[in-house]
Amino acid sequence: MSYSAKLAELGIELPSVAAPVAAYVPAVQSGDLIYTSGQLPFVDGKLSATGLVGGDVDEETAYEQARIATLNALAAVHDLVGIDKITKIVKVNGFVASAKGFGGQPAVINGASELLGEVFGSEVGAHARAAVGVAELPLNAPVEVEIIVQVATQ
């Protein structure tokens, strides 16, 4: 089954590529690797939540925001080469705007990791990862996700 078909089976539609909010491109290919820029949880051009996780934003909402940001990263890959060319999810970097004392960053970024596992399966979807707490993110977003994927070059 193709990954496009798997997304459809899961009832997931890739969004349009989120417009950059500064001077960068959504994704760059170097050899067989694609690096996405950090993706925020934009839905129809607007952040779907704002604030600090563990304060303004609860952990469950932040988990969903990580899923949305990951879909935006996949959309950037799809726009560049097509999602069906992905052969491996190599790395996920997740950033969580965290209120003082919040230590649940790994659980929040599981939103990204678990989505990738659902779509790509345990072999292709298994990846290295960082889940980092930060004081603030652009536009007061609660999460930001970037991915590195390997793709078939022929």
Side-chain angles (χ1 to χ4, degrees):
M1 174 183 295
S2 72
Y3 300 126
S4 298
K6 183 65 176 180
L7 284 169
E9 178 184 281
L10 293 169
I12 298 171
E13 186 174 327
L14 285 180
S16 298
V17 178
V21 298
Y24 61 88
V25 295
V28 172
Q29 183 171 0
S30 179
D32 65 348
L33 296 176
I34 294 179
Y35 300 79
T36 69
S37 295
Q39 297 293 315
L40 302 177
F42 283 117
V43 175
D44 298 325
K46 297 179 183 148
L47 286 175
S48 50
T50 58
L52 298 177
V53 181
D56 310 311
V57 179
D58 64 41
E59 194 172 302
E60 289 178 18
T61 300
Y63 173 96
E64 291 302 321
Q65 298 305 295
R67 287 177 69 92
I68 292 167
T70 303
L71 286 174
N72 287 335
L74 289 173
V77 172
H78 182 66
D79 192 58
L80 200 60
V81 300
I83 195 168
D84 293 322
K85 289 198 171 191
I86 293 174
T87 59
K88 182 70 179 162
I89 306 298
V90 176
K91 177 102 188 249
V92 172
N93 290 316
F95 305 93
V96 181
S98 301
K100 183 174 175 62
F102 180 74
Q105 294 84 6
V108 169
I109 301 306
N110 277 348
S113 295
E114 291 172 4
L115 172 68
L116 293 167
E118 290 169 26
V119 174
F120 297 98
S122 60
E123 188 173 319
V124 173
H127 54 271
R129 186 179 95 172
V132 180
V134 297
E136 292 182 46
L137 287 169
L139 306 176
N140 199 27
V143 299
E144 181 172 344
V145 173
E146 63 184 34
I147 62 174
I148 301 169
V149 300
Q150 184 177 43
V151 296
T153 56
Q154 294 191 25

